Amino acid sequence: MPNKQNHDIKRVAILFAGGPAPAANAVISTAAFSFLEEGAQVFGIKHGYSRLAEYTAAGPLQEGVDYIRFTHDSLTNARSSRGIMIGTARTNPGKHVSAPEHLKDKELVAPLRRVYEGLCSLEVDALISIGGDDTLKTANKLKMFQDNLPADARRFPVIHLPKTIDNDYSGIDFTFGFFTAVETLAEEIRNLNFDAAAGRAYFLCEAMGRSAGWLAYGAAIAGEASMVLSVEDIVGALADEEMVNQDTGEKRKIMALDRVIDRMVDMMIARERDSRPYGTIVVAEGLAEYLPSKYLEGVDRDDHGHINISSINLSALFSKLVAHRYNERTGRTRKVNGLQLGYEARCAPPHAYDVMLGAQLGVGAYRALVEEKLNGVMVSVSGQLDLHFVPFEKLVDPQTLVTKVRFIELKSDFHKLARFLETCIDI
């Protein structure tokens, strides 16, 4: 039970940003409940930073439009519900701040200042930020912005709760919503397995996972796919030399596309030798970032600098190349259907484990702020839902202000599990 003797925090804001994830409401509602039980007022900021980033120009925040006040009634049955009860958005108020010295530039820091002023207008004593690594970066920048304010300025602690169905977060073993998303995609893959067998065809499924392959690997293992490939696999024979962007100097690893396609065809031929001329292949969408440059020409980017992966339609590209290469090598035809999977998993009914994990993270925000009196930490869970509080500086590079992606480790037991279960081929 919450500690009834501590009354330091009277007003707290909860904000969710980035893509949806199952069990989002478990996190939001348990965090809100913890503070309501303490007697505090709890504000749910609607649709991420989108309104706060325009605070001064757009006028005062309006209750019911820009934020809501949580009550015990509004939290009834919310813990296991779908969706995001306060909405979300991808607005990035810290996008112009990419180094500590930028925090002293009034123009670059202006959106962060508007966020700060908007929250101050609600007289909040703390902010609970829920989101992915980009939202963690924003939380860190907001804390650093306050650190640079005059000594007599109002300050409020910032606590971050990690969210991504991609599960590529440093500082935590598994993120809420990951297992629900895996099961949702795995069920689709199981259905496709029977469809493929009936028509002696293949399905090539593109799963979400921009930076790492956790979701693709999990869905492939649970869905009994024939093969899975992700960004971690673009090494050795499957990788070409890195290319350097002449304008930015940025290095980019390029996949050996022909060899990647041949590996898929190798698997198809191996399955035919076992009288299984059908199957499913799962690839992580992040492989699009490793395509040769000609496939990325004209592709736009979002506020966080990410390319618009969905517009590339990796599954359609790969399925066409695989079908063509299979025909070249065998003289036969085999239908290969490309499918993009992912959106249907983000607001699926959360599984019990994700609800428990999300609830612990939500309560962890209360414990961090009220019991531990912390600021600038991410709440983490390990083991039997044991809470840990990881300082921002351990997760964010102090010079570039970017986070570190947690990849699947090659040769780890998890990686070996997928290799062991998929169709064996000679590499």
Side-chain angles (χ1 to χ4, degrees):
M1 291 294 292
N3 185 344
K4 300 292 185 180
Q5 297 179 349
N6 193 307
H7 300 285
D8 291 340
I9 295 178
K10 300 294 186 182
R11 299 159 76 91
V12 60
I14 300 175
L15 180 148
F16 190 106
N25 289 339
V27 183
I28 297 166
S29 65
T30 52
F33 174 82
S34 298
F35 284 95
L36 287 178
E37 289 290 282
E38 180 73 14
Q41 295 184 63
V42 187
F43 302 97
I45 307 300
K46 299 188 71 173
H47 303 293
Y49 287 102
S50 58
R51 176 63 175 84
L52 288 173
E54 301 175 350
Y55 167 67
T56 306
L61 299 176
Q62 300 180 50
E63 185 171 353
V65 177
D66 303 316
Y67 68 92
I68 61 172
R69 292 176 193 256
F70 286 110
T71 65
H72 283 93
D73 284 344
S74 69
L75 299 179
T76 301
N77 299 322
R79 193 179 306 160
S80 58
S81 63
R82 303 190 199 197
I84 308 170
M85 58 200 307
I86 53 177
T88 189
R90 293 191 179 277
T91 303
N92 178 11
K95 66 180 178 180
H96 301 303
V97 176
S98 56
E101 56 267 25
H102 292 169
L103 291 163
K104 297 180 181 180
D105 186 309
K106 291 184 177 181
E107 185 175 343
L108 296 178
V109 85
L112 281 174
R113 177 174 290 280
R114 290 194 289 270
V115 168
Y116 164 78
E117 291 174 348
L119 291 169
C120 285
S121 74
L122 296 178
E123 299 182 343
V124 301
D125 300 309
L127 171 66
I128 300 171
S129 157
I130 308 168
D133 59 345
D134 288 319
T135 310
L136 168 60
K137 287 185 281 189
T138 301
N140 181 55
K141 292 171 186 177
L142 184 58
K143 177 189 177 296
M144 294 178 71
F145 168 81
Q146 294 184 80
D147 291 342
N148 282 281
L149 291 174
D152 60 346
R154 182 186 183 93
R155 289 176 171 80
F156 51 83
V158 181
I159 299 296
H160 183 72
L161 308 183
K163 177 276 312 174
T164 174
I165 62 172
D166 294 345
N167 198 46
D168 57 358
Y169 234 108
S170 293
I172 191 168
D173 293 334
F174 293 102
T175 47
F176 72 86
F178 169 68
F179 287 104
T180 300
V182 164
E183 174 57 23
T184 303
L185 299 188
E187 180 62 18
E188 294 190 53
I189 293 168
R190 294 181 203 117
N191 293 340
L192 295 174
N193 285 339
F194 286 97
D195 191 307
R200 293 179 294 179
Y202 272 84
F203 286 94
L204 198 154
C205 304
E206 176 185 349
M208 285 186 171
R210 175 183 296 275
S211 301
W214 294 97
L215 190 55
Y217 266 70
I221 292 169
E224 300 192 47
S226 309
M227 171 177 280
V228 58
L229 286 175
S230 182
V231 298
E232 293 91 342
D233 298 307
I234 304 304
V235 294
L238 299 186
D240 273 340
E241 293 183 8
E242 290 183 338
M243 292 185 62
V244 179
N245 186 311
Q246 298 302 316
D247 297 325
T248 65
E250 181 183 7
K251 290 184 178 181
R252 188 171 74 89
K253 185 189 292 186
I254 306 298
M255 73 170 73
L257 185 56
D258 289 343
R259 291 194 286 273
V260 169
I261 298 303
D262 266 324
R263 179 167 177 178
M264 295 178 184
V265 175
D266 288 343
M267 179 272 298
M268 295 168 66
I269 293 173
R271 287 179 66 83
E272 288 182 357
R273 289 197 294 265
D274 293 335
S275 300
R276 294 181 292 170
Y278 60 87
T280 55
I281 302 169
V282 181
V283 298
E285 65 176 0
L287 285 170
E289 299 263 15
Y290 294 74
L291 286 169
S293 297
K294 68 176 183 179
Y295 295 99
L296 302 181
E297 293 175 0
V299 177
D300 59 329
R301 294 179 178 269
D302 64 15
D303 271 0
H304 299 283
H306 302 145
I307 65 170
N308 185 356
I309 284 180
S310 61
S311 68
I312 296 173
N313 201 337
L314 186 69
S315 58
L317 171 63
F318 273 11
S319 61
K320 181 179 179 180
L321 294 173
V322 168
H324 178 72
R325 183 61 175 147
Y326 174 84
N327 177 255
E328 282 186 337
R329 288 179 54 179
T330 67
R332 301 187 298 273
T333 60
R334 182 73 61 201
K335 188 174 183 180
V336 183
N337 305 285
L339 293 173
Q340 289 181 307
L341 307 179
Y343 285 104
E344 61 273 43
R346 302 197 302 176
C347 286
H351 287 189
Y353 178 79
D354 281 330
V355 172
M356 290 188 291
L357 173 58
Q360 183 68 303
L361 288 169
V363 170
Y366 170 87
R367 297 195 184 283
L369 287 165
V370 176
E371 297 181 358
E372 303 294 333
K373 301 184 183 302
L374 297 174
N375 179 23
V377 300
M378 184 188 83
V379 180
S380 180
V381 173
S382 66
Q384 296 180 343
L385 298 184
D386 298 320
L387 283 169
H388 307 278
F389 306 109
V390 187
F392 288 169
E393 53 264 31
K394 288 190 175 182
L395 303 169
V396 181
D397 186 290
Q399 300 303 319
T400 64
L401 305 184
V402 300
T403 53
K404 182 181 179 182
V405 174
R406 185 168 60 92
F407 296 102
I408 297 173
E409 293 183 19
L410 295 178
K411 307 303 181 183
S412 67
D413 287 337
F414 180 76
H415 188 261
K416 290 178 180 178
L417 175 62
R419 296 284 88 89
F420 188 85
L421 295 175
E422 67 187 11
T423 298
C424 294
I425 56 174
D426 295 326
I427 302 176

